[in-house]
Amino acid sequence: MRQPLIAVSTDVRQFENYTWHAAPQQYLEAALSAAGVLPMMIPSFGDRLDLDELLSSVHGVMVTGSKSNVHPSLYGGDASEANGPYDEARDATTLPLIRLAIERGVPLLAICRGIQELNVALGGTLATEIQDQDGMLDHRAPASDNQDERFAIRQPVSIKPGTCLAGVFGSGEIMVNSVHRQAVGRLGERLQVEAVAEDGTVEAVSVVGARAFAVGVQWHPEYWARSDDNSARIFRAFGDAVRLHAADPSGRLAAE
C-alpha cells in the first residue's frame, strides 16, 4: 500500500515580513516516523477551502497544538487579551474540518489546542487559566529555556476502563507531559472522557459512535514519540486507523 496521506492543521504566523502557514516539526516527524503516514499541511484559509474535496483526498486528520487559543467568541467566553493570543483563521479552518472528518468517518487525532478545538467544534466550552482555580494543579510547562525540560514527562493521568485509549494503553495510570493553561470546560456533544489528571482536568476525549478513530489528548505525545513508548502508541493507533481507512474508505472493515 502507498503511504497514506493525512491533513495537518497550520498556524498563521507573521515573521520575516511574510505571513506563514506553518506546523511544528515534531508533529510532522511523529506522523511520519511513529504513525507511518505522510503529513500534508493544510493552509488556514477557512471557507475558501473545499473540505469535502480535501477529505476525499486524504486518509486522516491531525490537529496540532499551538501557542494560540480558540477564540472565546466561539464558545461564549471572555475574548480578552489575557486569554490570547488568538488565530481566527485557524479556528475558521479546523472547526469545520473536525466536524466534517467525524461526519465522514475520517480518522482524527487532536492534540493540545486540537482537543480544545474538538470540544468547541462539538458545542463544548473551555476553562481558562486553570492553574488559578481552587484545587487545580498547575498544568503549565516548567519555567525553562530548555524545551526538553518544558516538555518533560512528569504528570500522571488515569485512563478510564472500557474506552478507546484503554485499548491503546490499558486502563490505569500513564505518565505524560503537561504544557497548557486552558482545558476542556463543559464537554461537547458526542464526546466522552477518556482520561483525567489527578485534579480532574480532562486529559483525553473520544467521539462516541464515531465511524473511525476520533481522539483528542491534552498532552503532547508528538514530542517524545521517538523515545517514549506511550507517546508512540497513540500515533501507532492513529496510523493503523488511517491505513484501515485508506484500504476501506466506506468503513465496512472497521464496523466488522
Side-chain angles (χ1 to χ4, degrees):
M1 181 188 297
R2 294 179 179 177
Q3 194 172 40
L5 287 169
I6 65 164
V8 180
S9 61
T10 55
D11 301 326
V12 180
R13 298 290 180 88
Q14 305 289 332
F15 57 95
E16 295 182 344
N17 295 319
Y18 287 97
T19 300
W20 297 75
H21 294 239
Q25 179 170 319
Q26 286 88 349
Y27 295 94
L28 308 176
E29 179 66 41
L32 190 62
S33 299
V37 298
L38 182 60
M40 181 173 66
M41 293 186 291
I42 305 304
S44 290
F45 286 144
D47 61 9
R48 295 169 61 193
L49 301 180
D50 185 340
L51 297 182
D52 270 309
E53 183 64 29
L54 170 64
L55 291 177
S56 295
S57 304
V58 301
H59 310 106
V61 173
M62 180 170 65
V63 188
T64 68
S66 175
K67 185 176 181 179
S68 69
N69 292 324
V70 178
H71 199 276
S73 65
L74 296 169
Y75 58 88
D78 178 18
S80 67
E81 184 176 348
N83 287 333
Y86 304 120
D87 186 342
E88 294 181 75
R90 171 168 164 151
D91 296 338
T93 307
T94 53
L95 271 62
L97 177 60
I98 287 167
R99 287 189 285 261
L100 190 59
I102 294 168
E103 178 186 326
R104 293 189 50 165
V106 177
L108 171 70
L109 176 59
I111 297 172
C112 193
R113 189 194 207 269
I115 188 179
Q116 297 172 16
E117 288 165 298
L118 171 59
N119 194 52
V120 172
L122 296 184
T125 64
L126 301 180
T128 62
E129 306 302 338
I130 56 175
Q131 70 278 352
D132 296 334
Q133 299 179 18
D134 290 341
M136 302 300 287
L137 299 173
D138 191 342
H139 292 263
R140 294 174 298 180
S144 175
D145 292 329
N146 183 303
Q147 283 290 82
D148 285 358
E149 292 178 2
R150 296 184 69 250
F151 283 82
I153 294 173
R154 60 187 176 85
Q155 174 180 284
V157 299
S158 296
I159 308 296
K160 292 183 175 291
T163 59
C164 176
L165 288 187
V168 175
F169 303 112
S171 57
E173 274 191 2
I174 64 169
M175 297 297 294
V176 302
N177 49 24
S178 187
V179 191
H180 64 101
R181 59 189 177 92
Q182 293 197 148
V184 168
R186 186 186 70 247
L187 199 64
E189 296 178 8
R190 294 187 62 194
L191 291 180
Q192 71 173 4
V193 176
E194 295 263 329
V196 295
E198 294 173 298
D199 60 0
T201 297
V202 174
E203 291 286 340
V205 298
S206 66
V207 180
V208 177
R211 291 161 48 199
F213 183 96
V215 168
V217 297
Q218 187 60 71
W219 66 90
H220 285 268
E222 81 288 344
Y223 197 86
W224 299 107
R226 300 185 72 173
S227 59
D228 173 64
D229 184 58
N230 281 332
S231 296
R233 281 187 185 191
I234 192 164
F235 279 97
R236 289 198 295 266
F238 175 57
D240 289 345
V242 170
R243 281 180 285 277
L244 182 60
H245 183 71
D248 177 35
S250 69
R252 286 191 298 270
L253 293 176
E256 293 177 356

